[in-house]
């Protein structure tokens, strides 16, 4: 496996304090793909580039950082490049150009042995298709990665038992995969990824094949595990509601390119273009927008009474207290009054939401 070609466009240095840093990443499928970057052809649409060169752009000049402990969601429609992107992060798909740094390791120029070590010890991946070993019991599926590392049977089974309990599968240690429901099989996949205590977890549409109720349960499970373990997570999905529920920040892709990166309230409150605006048009805004999107500047004649909340309080959570009070909400961050939220501001969001549903 060879290292990728050097990036030809200006490169911003990787962030030294990021858990994951991606700079100017390209993946082009086709003949002489590396010759496209840095030429006028690179600016062609996907369709025009394919017609002219026979090449298809999977990922186009993508850059972002993921902070330690962050849940970073990559979302887009089918064919947007999101799964290609996440596979490039550990070179399951070989990038054409750009850099990926995980911690202080340059993944894009890593040797084969360094990549094996990275995939075994630093990064784990959870796929849509569970990939469980049908002839092995749950405990041995969970401990499989530890076995590959060379860990002894007693030690790895003890570790697997601990992780099985963590993901809510205790009592199923001796079951085989075909004896489990789809949701339980995905818990086994999640436990297997956690067993090696990786620094980063990569999820590639892991819940897409699950029934809606099971999918919701698994989303809640990811949230719970993140709160308990604090792992850095990169989560790929085509579902906006899932992205808004799970993500500290969301990267939205279209045709291999980044359209917008922002916190859920930023994506809903300030969509970058019509594509994102259409994506978010049916989102219940009171569930996502925070008070910073509806507050106004304080005035000298504002009352010093009323409920006190921070600017990152979600509108829906603030609505009941705000509407029950005779005074507006005082928005205070770090001891400083930064805004005022009148009843009208709350009602505008709620009424607009009801009208959109109607």
């Amino acid at each position: 496996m060879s290292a990728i070609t050097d990036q030809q466009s200006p490169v911003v240095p990787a962030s030294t304090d990021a858990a994951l840093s991606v700079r100017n990443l390209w993946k082009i499928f086709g003949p002489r793909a590396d010759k496209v970057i840095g030429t006028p052809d690179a600016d062609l649409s996907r369709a025009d580039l394919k017609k002219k060169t026979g090449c298809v752009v999977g990922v186009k000049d993508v850059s972002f950082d993921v902070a330690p402990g962050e849940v970073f969601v990559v979302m887009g429609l089918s064919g947007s490049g999101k799964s290609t992107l996440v596979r490039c992060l550990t070179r399951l798909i070989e990038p054409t150009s750009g850099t990926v740094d995980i911690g202080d390791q340059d993944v894009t120029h890593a040797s084969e042995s360094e990549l094996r070590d990275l995939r075994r010890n630093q990064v784990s991946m959870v796929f849509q298709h569970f990939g469980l070993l049908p002839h092995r019991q749950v405990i041995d599926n969970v401990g499989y990665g530890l076995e590959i590392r060379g860990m002894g049977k007693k030690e790895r089974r003890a570790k697997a038992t601990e992780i099985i309990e963590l993901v809510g599968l205790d009592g199923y240690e001796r079951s085989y995969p075909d004896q489990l429901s789809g949701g339980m099989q995905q818990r086994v996949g999640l436990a297997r990824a956690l067993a090696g205590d990786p620094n980063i977890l990569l999820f590639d549409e892991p819940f897409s094949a699950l029934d809606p109720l099971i999918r919701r349960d698994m989303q809640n499970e990811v949230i719970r595990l993140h709160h308990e373990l604090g792992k850095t997570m990169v989560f790929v999905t085509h579902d906006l509601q899932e992205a808004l529920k799970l993500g500290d920040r969301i990267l939205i892709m279209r045709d291999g390119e980044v359209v917008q990166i922002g916190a859920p309230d930023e994506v809903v409150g300030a969509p970058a273009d019509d594509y994102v605006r259409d994506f978010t048009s049916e989102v219940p805004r009171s569930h996502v927008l925070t008070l910073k999107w509806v507050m106004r500047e304080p005035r000298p004649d504002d009352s010093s009474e009323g409920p006190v909340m921070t600017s990152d309080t979600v509108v829906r959570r603030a609505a009941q207290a705000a509407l029950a009070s005779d005074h507006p909400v005082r928005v205070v961050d770090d001891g400083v009054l930064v805004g005022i939220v009148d009843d009208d501001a709350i009602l505008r969001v709620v009424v607009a939401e009801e009208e959109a549903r109607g």
Side-chain angles (χ1 to χ4, degrees), residues 303-352:
S303 171
S304 59
E305 301 181 56
V308 174
M309 300 179 185
T310 58
S311 63
D312 60 357
T313 304
V314 175
V315 169
R316 181 168 178 251
R317 197 173 302 139
Q320 186 173 355
L323 297 176
S325 174
D326 293 330
H327 302 282
V329 171
R330 294 162 50 80
V331 183
V332 177
D333 287 338
D334 299 324
V336 177
L337 180 66
V338 295
I340 298 292
V341 179
D342 303 301
D343 288 355
D344 286 349
I346 296 282
L347 289 171
R348 275 195 297 273
V349 175
V350 175
V351 169

Side-chain angles (χ1 to χ4, degrees), residues 36-350:
V36 172
I37 303 168
T39 72
D41 288 347
D43 296 323
L44 295 175
S45 68
R46 263 187 175 176
D48 288 342
L49 180 67
K50 188 175 189 303
K51 184 177 180 181
K52 181 176 180 180
T53 68
C55 293
V56 176
V57 174
V59 175
K60 185 175 182 178
D61 201 18
V62 169
S63 298
F64 61 90
D65 291 324
V66 179
E70 181 177 19
V71 180
F72 188 84
V73 175
V74 180
M75 73 153 298
L77 299 177
S78 178
S80 62
K82 56 190 185 298
S83 289
T84 300
L85 172 61
V86 78
R87 282 168 164 78
C88 284
L89 300 181
T90 57
R91 285 172 57 192
L92 292 176
I93 291 178
E94 191 72 15
T96 306
S97 185
T99 61
V100 177
D101 289 273
I102 292 179
D104 58 0
Q105 183 170 4
D106 178 358
V107 177
T108 39
H109 294 90
S111 66
E112 290 192 21
S113 62
E114 289 170 333
L115 280 178
R116 281 195 298 270
D117 179 73
L118 176 84
R119 294 167 186 166
R120 287 179 182 176
N121 300 305
Q122 297 187 52
V123 181
S124 287
M125 198 157 186
V126 182
F127 296 95
Q128 176 181 339
H129 303 292
F130 318 124
L132 303 181
L133 301 171
H135 60 289
R136 290 196 173 202
Q137 296 175 339
V138 165
I139 193 167
D140 292 318
N141 266 284
V142 173
Y144 182 68
L146 302 177
E147 181 180 348
I148 295 298
R149 287 189 192 181
M151 184 181 289
K153 184 174 182 179
K154 183 178 180 180
E155 186 181 356
R156 71 172 181 264
R157 284 202 160 190
K159 180 64 175 178
T161 300
E162 176 187 330
I163 299 298
I164 285 168
E165 183 175 346
L166 180 67
V167 301
L169 281 174
D170 39 320
Y172 292 92
E173 294 88 345
R174 303 300 177 183
S175 298
Y176 288 91
D178 64 0
Q179 297 174 314
L180 305 177
S181 67
M184 293 172 74
Q185 288 184 45
Q186 191 57 283
R187 285 176 187 266
V188 177
L190 183 56
R192 183 176 57 191
L194 289 169
D197 194 23
N199 297 325
I200 299 177
L201 285 165
L202 305 179
F203 296 84
D204 188 11
E205 302 209 58
F207 310 144
S208 295
L210 302 178
D211 293 336
L213 289 178
I214 299 174
R215 182 171 186 160
R216 185 180 65 189
D217 288 345
M218 290 305 299
Q219 291 167 355
N220 292 335
E221 186 71 6
V222 168
I223 292 170
R224 180 184 70 82
L225 289 170
H226 182 255
H227 286 161
E228 288 190 20
L229 303 175
K231 296 288 185 184
T232 304
M233 298 180 177
V234 177
F235 196 102
V236 173
T237 182
H238 65 271
D239 186 306
L240 179 62
Q241 295 290 352
E242 186 166 76
L244 294 171
K245 181 175 182 178
L246 297 178
D248 295 316
R249 285 188 302 145
I250 302 169
L251 183 157
I252 298 178
M253 295 187 73
R254 178 182 56 199
D255 294 338
E257 296 185 79
V258 174
V259 180
Q260 183 169 3
I261 300 177
D265 62 316
E266 293 170 335
V267 170
V268 173
D273 61 12
D274 289 341
Y275 178 77
V276 181
R277 190 171 292 107
D278 288 344
F279 239 133
T280 60
S281 61
E282 297 185 7
V283 172
R285 296 171 70 80
S286 69
H287 293 216
V288 181
L289 292 184
T290 56
L291 293 183
K292 74 177 183 180
W293 295 98
V294 298
M295 68 186 188
R296 61 167 173 80
E297 292 285 332
R299 296 193 294 254
D301 60 342
D302 285 326
S303 171
S304 59
E305 301 181 56
V308 174
M309 300 179 185
T310 58
S311 63
D312 60 357
T313 304
V314 175
V315 169
R316 181 168 178 251
R317 197 173 302 139
Q320 186 173 355
L323 297 176
S325 174
D326 293 330
H327 302 282
V329 171
R330 294 162 50 80
V331 183
V332 177
D333 287 338
D334 299 324
V336 177
L337 180 66
V338 295
I340 298 292
V341 179
D342 303 301
D343 288 355
D344 286 349
I346 296 282
L347 289 171
R348 275 195 297 273
V349 175
V350 175

